[in-house]
Amino acid sequence: MKPSHLPARVGAAALSLLMALPVAPLAQAQAIAPKSRAPVTVNFVNADLEAVTRAFAAMIDRSIVVDPRVKGSITVYSEQPQSIREAWQGYLTALRGLGFAVVEAGGLLKVVPEADAKVQTSTVSVGETGARGDQIITQIFTLRHENPNNLVPVLRPLISPNNTINSNPGNNTLVITDYAENLQRLGKIIAVLDQPGGTEVEIIPLQHAVAADLAPLVQRLADGGSAAPGVAPQGVSGGMTIMADSRANALLVRAPSAARLASIRATVAKLDRPNNLVGAGGGMWVVHLKNAEAVRLATVVRAAFAAIPSPTGTNAGAAQAGGGGVPQAAPAAPVAAGGAAAATAPLSAVAQPNTGGFIQADPATNSLIITAPEPLYRQVRALIDQLDERRAQVYIESLIVEVSGGDAADFGFQWQGLLGQSGDKTGLVAGTNFTPIGGKGNLIGVSAAGATGNAAGVASAIGEGLNLGLLRSYNGVTSLAAIARMLQSQATTNIVSTPNLITLDNEEAKIVVGENVPFITGQFTNTGSSGGSTVNPFQTIERKDVGITLRIRPQIGEGGAVRMQIFQEQSSVKTDTAAGTTNAGPSTTKRSIENTVVVDDGSILVLGGLIEDRYINSQSKVPLLGDLPFIGGLFRSESRERKRTNLMVFLRPVVMRDAESAARFSNGRYEQIRAQQQDKQPVPSVVLPINESPVLPARPAASAAAPR
């Protein structure tokens, strides 16, 4: 090193010391003992950064490349002699204060801005590392107990803003890029935080108490009384989890510490005592159900225990019921009885409160009252706990799609003529007379309407399309002598109906969207009086639902497959006057499907449909004359009609096993309707004072936070 390469403010003693000192690689300089090297004294005050970097490169005998963006002055000095390693650490610290850092990539040291150091460093350490100081490296920490996503918010404030921390839940690791000195501190913090979340699962068997009764009470005591009474814990609360195992009559306990676990064991031991209220004939217990229906569950449990022999040799259920037998629930109504009766039939009958047996149901509180010896009560309670589970729900969306179209073409020529002289007593009348599609456009009908001078009658009688007529005067009366009619019409219908509903697993549901139309079933008309008494006429009317009816009973199977009994009907009243008579009432169209299918959760299945293509050709003509070429068109009228109908019914079930899924669908439909109401607001007007239409209120914050 030449003296001209050093800053002007470097001390002479330090300069001579630097020139005479042997150098070593960086790794050796960091691990060198103080006594193996002569101490140095550096004195760089407001010196050029690039020049100082070259001086330290000579000290450690390593090449250091300075990024072009690294510029400015740097101050590195020491009052007392120090080792090369200590001087190098002082240089790194000074660079860090200026926003720069030293990284090692491919064996080459580089001075780069701190923001780029995390992507240019090639030093990666797994586990413990011996690197220290202000060199930027990447270190991978492997966690054994804690979730890495939980530690990211804790460690992020402790890392330099320009450096990064990332978590990989797949292999439970943290990847942190930062200064080596800070990584040493983060390693100690991670070691303390990466501890087991609690003790192992402890099984506490019970001798006298029932696990399902004791678990909610112990959970409330462990949480300080915050849990609702009678509700079993569903997760971790305050780090303490207590669950009941009805099969083994034991409590499953996981505590955050051994001391809390010992406290729970002591509490359970005090509560697990014999029941003094149970006498020789047994005791009485009240079981509050969480999900099941009390009346139905009581019937099922009585039937299940009716065949268990008692110590006296009789059946347990029959002995406790006094020989009254097992009451049976009312039979369920079928899903569909066919036709309109299926659309108006009531839902499945629900079992009514009943007496008798050792289990009584209280529908008002949805509770069961059990009168039995303690061993039998434990068996009954274990069965009740397995049956009293939250049932899944099924969201069913039905899509009824009908696309229909029709084309009609009508062409005809009609004429009427009178041959003879004025004043003749006899004459010859000839002509053609046809009735086109729709019953309008008849030549005689139009002439009769024109003779009355009623313009509205003429417009109604002549019909639609292009009409070319020839007028002629007979004895001073102007009449229509000929008419040519041409008409082509097209009609297209596209109907999409999406009735949807939600029902419990294995419970029938019905939705009806339509009208209640009256149909005449009988009538009597007064034809006179008999014996001086008056007979009043009357009619009997039956009202039926006309519209869309959907009745479904879903049953959730293995793997999310849904088995469904379905009755779907789409009916409507015909608007054509010829479809019905005044006495018989209106006529209706009906399309119905009744079947049983299996659909996977969230999949779409086509239930059935109709594809119809109909062609009608109608021709009216004068025999022989209508078949003549060219002039035959004067003696015939022809119409063609084609109708196409495509009807398909689709079904899509979605299984909702928890409250979150139900909230997602409900909130989505709620916001959809609310958005449509907001889009249909009236245009503001000064003349009309009503400028707002009703809009659903916004959902509360708790509901709005539910997943969409």
Side-chain angles (χ1 to χ4, degrees):
M1 180 186 300
K2 297 181 181 180
S4 59
H5 293 169
L6 297 178
R9 293 189 175 129
V10 178
L15 178 59
S16 60
L17 206 55
L18 288 173
M19 296 176 63
L21 246 139
V23 292
L26 175 61
Q28 298 177 5
Q30 291 182 349
I32 194 170
K35 61 181 180 180
S36 63
R37 292 284 187 174
V40 296
T41 301
V42 294
N43 186 16
F44 300 99
V45 179
N46 292 330
D48 181 66
L49 191 149
E50 186 175 358
V52 174
T53 300
R54 289 198 300 268
F56 275 96
M59 291 175 59
I60 65 175
D61 196 19
R62 292 283 299 273
S63 297
I64 303 177
V65 178
V66 180
D67 191 278
R69 294 169 293 178
V70 177
K71 298 181 181 299
S73 301
I74 188 173
T75 298
V76 183
Y77 69 93
S78 61
E79 300 293 342
Q80 302 294 332
Q82 56 185 357
S83 64
I84 294 179
R85 180 179 62 82
E86 293 173 344
W88 174 254
Q89 295 297 336
Y91 168 71
L92 296 180
T93 303
L95 285 178
R96 181 176 179 180
L98 296 175
F100 307 125
V102 176
V103 297
E104 184 175 3
L108 183 65
L109 297 179
K110 297 188 294 184
V111 181
V112 297
E114 186 184 57
D116 295 343
K118 58 180 176 291
V119 296
Q120 297 195 30
T121 181
S122 63
T123 304
V124 179
S125 175
V126 180
E128 296 293 334
T129 178
R132 301 183 64 87
D134 291 328
Q135 181 184 356
I136 289 184
I137 62 176
T138 299
Q139 187 168 351
I140 301 175
F141 297 91
T142 302
L143 306 181
R144 296 184 178 181
H145 307 286
E146 188 60 58
N147 189 332
N149 292 331
N150 297 337
L151 293 185
V152 171
V154 178
L155 301 178
R156 176 69 264 184
L158 305 178
I159 300 174
S160 303
N162 290 326
N163 294 323
T164 61
I165 175 173
N166 298 286
S167 64
N168 184 11
N171 56 4
N172 215 41
T173 57
L174 285 173
V175 181
I176 305 177
T177 301
D178 202 7
Y179 294 98
E181 192 72 29
N182 193 36
L183 289 176
Q184 296 284 341
R185 181 179 63 143
L186 295 178
K188 298 177 182 179
I189 297 175
I190 293 174
V192 175
L193 297 178
D194 187 23
Q195 299 294 333
T199 61
E200 296 295 331
V201 177
E202 183 77 9
I203 301 177
I204 305 178
L206 303 179
Q207 300 297 328
H208 307 285
V210 178
D213 295 335
L214 199 58
L217 179 60
V218 177
Q219 182 73 49
R220 291 188 64 197
L221 294 175
D223 298 338
S226 59
V231 178
Q234 299 296 331
V236 179
S237 180
M240 179 74 67
T241 304
I242 302 174
M243 302 184 69
D245 183 7
S246 301
R247 295 174 299 175
N249 195 35
L251 295 179
L252 307 180
V253 182
R254 172 176 288 174
S257 63
R260 292 288 302 275
L261 179 60
S263 175
I264 293 299
R265 292 185 65 92
T267 302
V268 172
K270 295 178 181 179
L271 296 175
D272 188 20
R273 300 301 178 99
N275 190 354
N276 297 328
L277 300 179
V278 179
M284 300 181 64
W285 289 269
V286 177
V287 180
H288 297 278
L289 302 180
K290 308 178 189 67
N291 301 287
E293 185 179 345
V295 176
R296 290 186 178 182
L297 188 58
T299 305
V300 173
V301 175
R302 276 197 296 267
F305 281 87
I308 299 179
S310 65
T312 59
T314 59
N315 291 344
Q320 293 294 333
V326 180
Q328 300 294 329
V335 172
T344 58
L347 294 177
S348 301
V350 179
Q352 298 299 320
N354 51 70
T355 59
F358 67 105
I359 299 179
Q360 311 298 323
D362 181 15
T365 59
N366 199 38
S367 304
L368 296 179
I369 304 173
I370 304 175
T371 306
E374 187 172 0
L376 179 59
Y377 167 71
R378 292 185 179 181
Q379 297 180 10
V380 174
R381 186 59 189 272
L383 178 61
I384 292 174
D385 292 338
Q386 296 182 43
L387 296 177
D388 188 24
E389 297 289 342
R390 180 190 177 102
R391 297 165 64 184
Q393 300 183 97
V394 182
Y395 169 81
I396 303 168
E397 185 176 18
S398 176
L399 294 92
I400 306 171
V401 183
E402 181 176 355
V403 180
S404 60
D407 298 327
D410 184 14
F411 177 80
F413 184 81
Q414 305 173 57
W415 55 273
Q416 296 289 333
L418 176 63
L419 300 178
Q421 298 293 330
S422 177
D424 292 347
K425 296 182 179 180
T426 59
L428 178 64
V429 177
T432 58
N433 179 26
F434 306 112
T435 302
I437 297 176
K440 296 182 180 181
N442 182 271
L443 176 62
I444 297 179
V446 176
S447 299
T452 61
N454 187 355
V458 174
S460 176
I462 200 171
E464 301 176 349
L466 177 61
N467 296 272
L468 300 177
L470 177 64
L471 299 178
R472 186 175 179 181
S473 178
Y474 298 96
N475 296 325
V477 179
T478 302
S479 179
L480 190 63
I483 183 173
R485 182 172 183 267
M486 292 172 287
L487 173 64
Q488 183 177 0
S489 61
Q490 294 180 341
T492 303
T493 304
N494 190 345
I495 302 175
V496 178
S497 303
T498 57
N500 53 80
L501 48 83
I502 297 177
T503 181
L504 282 175
D505 179 25
N506 207 25
E507 292 288 344
E508 182 183 329
K510 179 179 75 171
I511 182 172
V512 178
V513 181
E515 301 177 355
N516 194 258
V517 180
F519 292 86
I520 300 175
T521 58
Q523 62 182 352
F524 179 82
T525 304
N526 185 11
T527 59
S529 59
S530 176
S533 61
T534 302
V535 181
N536 296 323
F538 66 90
Q539 290 181 336
T540 58
I541 296 176
E542 180 184 0
R543 291 187 173 271
K544 296 182 179 181
D545 292 330
V546 176
I548 297 176
T549 301
L550 178 64
R551 293 164 58 89
I552 292 182
R553 184 196 299 274
Q555 182 179 355
I556 302 174
E558 183 180 0
V562 183
R563 180 179 183 271
M564 292 180 291
Q565 294 177 277
I566 304 167
F567 174 80
Q568 188 276 328
E569 179 182 284
Q570 183 181 19
S571 58
S572 61
V573 178
K574 283 189 174 182
T575 57
D576 188 0
T577 56
T581 62
T582 306
N583 296 330
S587 297
T588 60
T589 61
K590 183 177 69 172
R591 301 178 177 93
S592 64
I593 295 178
E594 182 178 357
N595 57 359
T596 302
V597 296
V598 176
V599 193
D600 290 336
D601 180 16
S603 300
I604 298 179
L605 179 70
V606 57
L607 299 182
L610 169 68
I611 300 177
E612 180 186 31
D613 196 342
R614 182 172 55 181
Y615 173 77
I616 302 174
N617 185 13
S618 301
Q619 188 180 69
S620 300
K621 64 180 180 178
V622 177
L624 300 178
L625 296 178
D627 296 329
L628 295 176
F630 303 110
I631 64 173
L634 300 176
F635 301 95
R636 69 173 179 262
S637 176
E638 186 175 0
S639 63
R640 296 179 181 180
E641 184 178 5
R642 183 178 181 180
K643 293 183 178 180
R644 298 172 299 276
T645 302
N646 293 276
L647 173 65
M648 289 293 170
V649 180
F650 301 90
L651 200 69
R652 185 175 74 98
V654 178
V655 179
M656 301 183 299
R657 301 186 182 275
D658 49 24
E660 180 181 350
S661 301
R664 184 188 306 115
F665 280 97
S666 301
N667 295 337
R669 293 296 184 268
Y670 189 95
E671 291 298 333
Q672 179 182 1
I673 295 299
R674 189 169 185 269
Q676 292 181 0
Q677 288 182 329
Q678 291 176 338
D679 293 340
K680 299 300 181 181
Q681 291 295 311
V683 179
S685 173
V686 179
V687 180
L688 303 176
I690 302 176
N691 295 320
E692 294 181 357
S693 64
V695 178
L696 288 173
R699 290 180 295 129
S703 299
R708 296 293 303 275

